[in-house]
Amino acid sequence: MNREETLAWIEDVMGALDQFEVMDIIEETIAGGLVGPTFFETLDVETERLKTAGDIKKYDRLLEIARTIAIVRQNRKEHL
């Protein structure tokens, strides 16, 4: 995913109704091979931007999502 696609992805996942929907989005993204260096770089930049802007609620949420992505990705690698 490029930066613009990742930003749209962030909006989608932040707007998810519940944790099950978040997990579905994350699983689809990882299974589709869409997670790469640009994806993580964009997540880092956006997380830092939210922190700097003082939007702690969204910062915490995006940080949680990033951690979940890392965990799911690692679990998939271990089970392959």
Side-chain angles (χ1 to χ4, degrees):
M1 259 190 248
N2 64 33
R3 178 172 169 69
E4 291 77 26
E5 291 168 331
T6 303
L7 290 172
W9 183 92
I10 290 170
E11 289 297 318
D12 288 345
V13 79
M14 294 286 276
L17 298 176
D18 57 37
Q19 191 65 21
F20 293 111
E21 187 176 2
V22 170
M23 289 305 295
D24 285 345
I25 293 169
I26 289 171
E27 286 284 347
E28 287 176 21
T29 303
I30 292 170
L34 302 173
V35 176
T38 302
F39 179 83
F40 284 109
E41 180 182 305
T42 303
L43 276 180
D44 288 342
V45 168
E46 286 302 298
T47 302
E48 195 59 36
R49 183 186 65 75
L50 291 169
K51 182 179 179 182
T52 301
D55 193 341
I56 300 303
K57 184 177 179 183
K58 284 186 179 179
Y59 165 79
D60 286 341
R61 177 93 168 110
L62 190 53
L63 193 59
E64 175 187 338
I65 290 165
R67 287 181 181 143
T68 302
I69 293 166
I71 291 167
V72 170
R73 190 173 183 219
Q74 183 62 37
N75 287 343
R76 286 181 61 87
K77 285 181 181 178
E78 290 175 2
H79 288 102
L80 289 178

